[in-house]
Amino acid sequence: MLRTADFRRAVGRFATGVTVLTTVADGRHLGMTANSFVSVSLDPLLVLASIRRDARFHGPLMASGVWGVSVLAEDMAETSRCFAKRAYDQPGDMFAGWEHSIGPETGVVLFDGALSVFECRTVTTHPGGDHTLVLGEVVSFAQPRDDVGPLVFYDGRYLDPVGADTGGTEARRETDGSRS
């Protein structure tokens, strides 16, 4: 018999990057930590995020049709932790104290310290069990930082940035150009 807890542990063995997804609904900026984000297409530029249907972020995202993705840097673990909590219960602006800007195309929050940021417009959604798969067209993107590596989540914790980098940034750049 397949058990949910065992499945969760098994898929947790797949290392992922960490993002904060954002949206704006009824004038309120909202965000949620997510590691279920993937590039889908280069023509047109499409990405996909998977959102739990019972997440408080789900309804506002479905209603707004616009969203942002901030790919977190290795020095942004506290950002990830904060937006993984139920920040919606806190009064006021959930982004107060976090360096961010507002995306010019969609009006969503994008984190200034992120490795990459994307502004998206929802193209379509698909039910996926207890999640909704949200396919978005990228209408704007930027790479604010290249001075650090990614925040990586594995087996229920963040990986040590030093331990996660086996070849170093320069080694990766050298091999990228030599592939045939």
Side-chain angles (χ1 to χ4, degrees), residues 19-25 28-34 49 51 57 60-61 64-70 79 83 88 94-95 100-103 106-111 117-120:
T19 68
V20 172
L21 304 178
T22 56
T23 194
V24 59
R28 184 168 183 215
H29 291 278
L30 304 168
M32 176 187 94
T33 298
I51 313 297
F57 187 80
L61 174 64
S64 75
V66 295
W67 42 291
V69 181
S70 295
T79 308
F83 287 89
Y88 297 91
M94 69 188 309
F95 294 95
H100 65 276
S101 55
I102 302 299
T106 61
V108 299
V109 167
L110 303 169
F111 285 93
V117 293
F118 303 87
E119 290 183 85
C120 306

Side-chain angles (χ1 to χ4, degrees):
M1 178 164 158
L2 299 176
R3 294 182 339 157
T4 303
D6 293 335
F7 179 75
R8 187 177 184 111
R9 277 192 299 280
V11 297
R13 304 294 305 254
F14 180 70
T16 64
V18 183
T19 68
V20 172
L21 304 178
T22 56
T23 194
V24 59
D26 297 325
R28 184 168 183 215
H29 291 278
L30 304 168
M32 176 187 94
T33 298
N35 63 356
S36 55
F37 167 73
V38 65
S39 168
V40 174
S41 170
L42 295 175
D43 186 19
L45 298 177
L46 297 174
V47 294
L48 180 136
S50 178
I51 313 297
R52 279 186 66 109
R53 287 195 327 240
D54 66 355
R56 292 182 184 185
F57 187 80
H58 186 273
L61 174 64
M62 295 300 115
S64 75
V66 295
W67 42 291
V69 181
S70 295
V71 177
L72 301 186
E74 65 192 13
D75 58 4
M76 298 180 76
E78 189 55 37
T79 308
S80 172
R81 284 185 197 96
C82 176
F83 287 89
K85 297 177 185 173
R86 298 238 178 229
Y88 297 91
D89 295 331
Q90 301 170 7
D93 180 3
M94 69 188 309
F95 294 95
W98 299 101
E99 291 188 34
H100 65 276
S101 55
I102 302 299
E105 298 295 323
T106 61
V108 299
V109 167
L110 303 169
F111 285 93
D112 295 344
L115 297 178
S116 297
V117 293
F118 303 87
E119 290 183 85
C120 306
R121 293 191 192 286
T122 300
V123 173
T124 190
T125 62
H126 299 280
D130 58 1
H131 282 64
T132 298
L133 306 178
V134 183
L135 186 68
E137 180 178 12
V138 176
V139 296
S140 173
F141 68 92
Q143 299 170 334
R145 292 180 70 188
D146 63 2
D147 61 323
V148 295
L151 182 61
V152 179
F153 194 71
Y154 173 77
D155 203 19
R157 65 185 182 277
Y158 301 108
L159 289 183
D160 176 0
V162 175
D165 189 356
T166 58
T169 302
E170 292 307 314
R172 283 194 303 274
R173 287 185 182 146
E174 287 175 15
T175 59
D176 286 348
S178 63
R179 293 185 185 142
S180 51

